[in-house]
């Protein structure tokens, strides 16, 4: 653990009510994997986020903005510096003209539900995508050929930073019953084809041009392939599952094995889609 000077921690405590030291990131990721963050801080509003990041920058301390933790693999040694999560002040989901104004920490599933109840169409494809709206906008979450970023008519970031604070999503009017049936259709398909209720971080590799990564991995005979506590899902070959005791190194070694086999068989190098965070491998 990098020692943050006591004086600096005291300064941070004046701004942030909730800080934890040496916090296992496995508690904050859908993979259930990840070593400790030196400091884990929840910024409840924009002012405290601004002051916190300013202090960290002034003191040369690294920080990482965590959303729902559903698209990341945190290394076993964890995160040096501060992992920041956005708190309640960033969870709004409000009706505006032709759309919704949404805080970055609002869960995407809640936003999708609100849109349906308001009779606003455009987000149905995101049914069942876990995580926050900020994270989804950052990674440009997608499904069934639809992307989230084109729906954002405005994204507000913390000044001088990439941190997304809120966004306005442009949606179009539709009968709520039509929206709900589309949502069900998408969600059912996802549930049948993806291991939604096991520990994973979604699709591990990007689809290469004109191919599906999952199909290549399946054709390489890698469904069920295991390294330590990590294995390739039997349901969807582009998902790696933590059976409970997986380390980040297990996942990284399995990813390397998949890349080598797929490259050898098809001449295609699969690029990771998940964000690999923290001290570098091994
Ligand atoms: C079962 C399952 C199914 C999934 N299905 C899909 C799917 O169909 N389509 C899809 O695209 N993804 C899918 N995912 C992956 C993931 O849920 C999405 O990519 C999600 O949008 C990531 O959001 P998050 O809040 O969890 O981001 P995180 O994983 O916390 O972060 C991802 C990246 O975004 C950055 N970030 C987070 N919040 C902010 C912010 N406010 N400002 C700036 N940067 C930020 C982080 O620093 C990190 O680099 C799935 C995952 C699982 C576990």
């Amino acid at each position: 653990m990098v020692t943050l000077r006591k004086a600096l921690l005291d300064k941070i405590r004046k701004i942030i009510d909730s800080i934890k030291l040496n916090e296992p990131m496995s508690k904050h990721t859908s993979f259930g994997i990840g070593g400790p963050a030196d400091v884990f801080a929840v910024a409840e509003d924009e002012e405290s986020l601004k002051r916190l990041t300013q202090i960290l920058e002034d003191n040369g301390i690294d920080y990482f903005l965590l959303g729902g933790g559903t698209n990341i693999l945190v290394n076993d040694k964890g995160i040096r510096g501060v992992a920041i999560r956005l708190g309640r002040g960033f969870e709004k989901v409000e009706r505006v003209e032709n759309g919704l104004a949404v805080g970055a920490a609002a869960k995407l599933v809640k936003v999708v539900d609100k849109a349906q109840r308001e009779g606003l169409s455009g987000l149905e494809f995101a049914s069942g995508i876990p995580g926050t709206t900020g994270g989804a906008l950052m990674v440009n979450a997608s499904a069934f050929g639809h992307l989230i970023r084109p729906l954002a008519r405005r994204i507000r970031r913390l000044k001088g930073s990439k941190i997304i604070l809120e966004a306005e999503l442009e949606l179009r009017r539709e009968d709520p019953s039509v929206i709900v049936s589309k949502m069900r259709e998408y969600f059912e398909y996802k549930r049948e084809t993806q291991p939604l209720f096991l520990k994973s971080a979604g699709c591990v590799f990007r689809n290469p041009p004109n191919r599906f990564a999952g199909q290549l991995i399946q054709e390489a005979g890698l469904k069920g392939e295991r390294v330590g506590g990590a294995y390739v899902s039997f349901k969807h070959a582009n998902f790696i599952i933590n059976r409970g005791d997986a380390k980040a190194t297990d996942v990284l070694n399995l990813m390397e094995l998949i890349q080598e086999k797929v490259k050898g068989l098809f001449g295609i190098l699969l690029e990771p889609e998940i964000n690999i965070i923290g001290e570098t491998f091994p």
Side-chain angles (χ1 to χ4, degrees):
M1 169 171 168
V2 171
T3 319
L4 268 78
R5 284 177 292 110
K6 184 176 175 307
L8 182 56
L9 277 174
D10 287 345
K11 260 191 186 175
I12 294 175
R13 282 199 175 95
K14 281 193 185 136
I15 304 167
I16 303 287
D17 291 337
S18 161
I19 74 165
K20 290 179 179 162
L21 304 184
N22 227 8
E23 174 74 353
M25 292 304 292
S26 53
K27 285 163 90 177
H28 301 280
T29 60
S30 55
F31 242 146
I33 293 175
D38 292 336
V39 178
F40 182 84
V42 180
E44 293 294 351
D45 55 35
E46 187 173 338
E47 185 55 27
S48 44
L49 177 67
K50 195 166 118 191
R51 290 171 64 198
L52 173 63
T53 51
Q54 190 63 60
I55 288 181
L56 297 175
E57 280 164 23
D58 290 350
N59 287 275
I61 305 289
D62 290 335
Y63 58 87
F64 169 71
L65 201 289
L66 176 72
T70 66
N71 196 220
I72 57 172
L73 174 66
V74 179
N75 273 304
D76 297 319
K77 288 182 183 164
I79 294 176
R80 302 291 68 81
V82 181
I84 303 174
R85 169 166 271 175
L86 304 181
R88 292 229 169 81
F90 298 92
E91 288 181 2
K92 76 166 179 192
V93 185
E94 286 169 12
R95 176 70 200 252
V96 290
E97 210 183 330
N98 301 325
L100 294 175
V102 180
K107 296 255 184 312
L108 191 57
V109 288
K110 284 198 174 163
V111 180
V112 173
D113 275 356
K114 172 81 170 168
Q116 186 275 327
R117 279 184 276 114
E118 293 286 341
L120 292 169
S121 172
L123 273 173
E124 296 87 329
F125 75 92
S127 290
I129 300 183
T132 63
T133 310
L137 287 166
M138 194 63 190
V139 303
N140 201 9
S142 64
F144 308 103
H146 301 275
L147 298 158
I148 193 162
R149 234 183 259 155
L151 295 175
R153 65 178 161 220
R154 190 174 75 96
I155 296 180
R156 196 164 72 79
R157 293 185 164 80
L158 188 69
K159 208 170 169 201
S161 138
K162 286 186 177 164
I163 297 178
I164 296 171
L165 303 173
E166 60 180 12
E168 261 183 43
L169 303 178
E170 178 138 5
L171 303 165
R172 53 184 192 283
R173 291 208 59 79
E174 180 56 277
D175 182 339
S177 66
V178 173
I179 298 173
V180 91
S181 66
K182 268 202 223 167
M183 282 167 59
R184 283 206 188 113
E185 201 181 308
Y186 284 134
F187 184 72
E188 277 310 309
Y189 184 83
K190 248 176 113 63
R191 200 162 59 131
E192 270 170 31
T193 56
Q194 298 178 6
L196 293 189
F197 307 109
L198 298 177
K199 291 179 176 179
S200 83
C203 287
V204 174
F205 296 104
R206 291 184 192 290
N207 289 327
N210 307 318
R211 299 301 301 263
F212 290 106
Q215 201 178 2
L216 294 169
I217 299 166
Q218 182 174 337
E219 284 171 19
L222 291 172
K223 273 191 170 177
E225 186 73 27
R226 189 167 75 85
V227 173
Y231 67 92
V232 176
S233 164
F234 291 96
K235 209 168 188 181
H236 191 309
N238 201 12
F239 279 63
I240 288 179
I241 309 294
N242 170 13
R243 70 171 185 192
D245 56 352
K247 301 269 173 238
T249 43
D250 297 338
V251 176
L252 291 166
N253 284 329
L254 185 53
M255 286 171 68
E256 216 171 277
L257 183 155
I258 293 168
Q259 282 173 316
E260 275 169 19
K261 189 121 192 225
V262 167
K263 176 91 174 125
L265 284 170
F266 307 108
I268 295 171
L269 178 65
L270 293 176
E271 302 285 351
E273 171 150 356
I274 55 173
N275 294 273
I276 298 164
I277 310 292
E279 286 196 2
T280 43
F281 183 62

